[in-house]
Amino acid sequence: MSKTTLKHTLVPALGLAAALATTGLNAADWSTTELQLQRGDLDVPSFAGGGSEQTTILTLQHASGWKYGDTFFFVDASKTSDNSDLYAELYPHFSFGKISGKDLSVGPIRDFGLVTGLNFAADANVLKYLPGVRLSLDLPGFAFANLDVTAYIDDSDGVASGGAPAEDDSYMVDFSWAYPFKIGSTSWSVEGHAEYIGSRDNEFGDKVSHHILAQPQLRLDLGEQLFDRAGQLFVGIEYQYWNNKLGDSKTDESVVQALLVWRL
């Protein structure tokens, strides 16, 4: 199957998956929505001028479970001294265990499923599709732990549209988790994700390096301590490690960002 044919097949399929998942939110079994505010000194890739910039990021993040699976999405609005941008990811997930009504657990794997991802960057005019599989893991102490293995399919219009160069397709492996714990009377969690995306070439034949991006957060439930309202207001830090940031082999990022989270 050619790349063009594959895209024409995936676009309606992923659109249908997103529509089904969004419809399912109306009858969600559970739902969590957060506003996150982060600020830190983030690196600028060498192809965009290099250096670093103080960056403020406001994130709307949502996760919910429904009859046949669950849905996760976030929208980042980032601001520097001279630029603003929007970036979003959507991941509808269909659980084989929920669909079949059977216990599919085996060893450390609690369930199997299909995930259908969409990534969108407004300023760079980038659109990616990430169809693949999810292993939902049963790890002691974890609220959840998921391992996704997906394709990383580019459907960007490239430089001709005024955006970033179009790229060949690749693949992604992503591990996401949340691990709550207590220290005395205080409630904490370590949560986030770590991903690997394989190398590819862009429309000019230049190599886009593989990257490793890890974004663990350490959170303290501040609302529990100040207002006796657990699970609503959190403070902490997010550590961002980005080897070959945005595919740039000359830029490796390691930065701590201040974090404030309001759970709606």
Side-chain angles (χ1 to χ4, degrees), residues 179-197:
Y179 184 84
F181 61 97
K182 301 279 289 188
I183 299 178
S185 62
T186 61
S187 299
W188 300 75
S189 68
V190 177
E191 53 195 77
H193 82 111
E195 70 182 29
Y196 175 91
I197 293 179

Side-chain angles (χ1 to χ4, degrees), residues 166-245:
E167 299 175 351
D168 292 338
D169 300 332
S170 186
Y171 65 93
M172 181 187 77
V173 179
D174 181 87
F175 177 64
S176 57
W177 77 91
Y179 184 84
F181 61 97
K182 301 279 289 188
I183 299 178
S185 62
T186 61
S187 299
W188 300 75
S189 68
V190 177
E191 53 195 77
H193 82 111
E195 70 182 29
Y196 175 91
I197 293 179
S199 62
R200 59 265 183 213
D201 294 332
N202 66 22
E203 62 184 285
F204 301 113
D206 298 326
K207 178 64 67 176
V208 180
S209 297
H210 71 275
H211 82 226
I212 298 172
L213 171 62
Q215 296 173 302
Q217 295 180 349
L218 174 64
R219 298 182 178 192
L220 166 67
D221 191 335
L222 186 63
E224 178 183 51
Q225 299 299 309
L226 296 183
F227 315 115
D228 197 27
R229 299 182 67 176
Q232 189 171 63
L233 178 65
F234 305 85
V235 294
I237 59 172
E238 176 174 301
Y239 172 63
Q240 179 161 291
Y241 171 77
W242 203 337
N243 169 245
N244 299 333
K245 185 173 184 178

Side-chain angles (χ1 to χ4, degrees), residues 46 56 82 150 155 226 242 244 249 261 264:
S46 63
T56 301
D82 57 2
T150 73
D155 196 25
L226 296 183
W242 203 337
N244 299 333
S249 62
V261 178
L264 305 179

Side-chain angles (χ1 to χ4, degrees), residues 43-47 50 209 243-245 247-253:
D43 290 344
V44 178
S46 63
F47 57 73
S209 297
N243 169 245
N244 299 333
K245 185 173 184 178
D248 177 22
S249 62
K250 299 178 181 179
T251 303
D252 292 333
E253 183 171 72

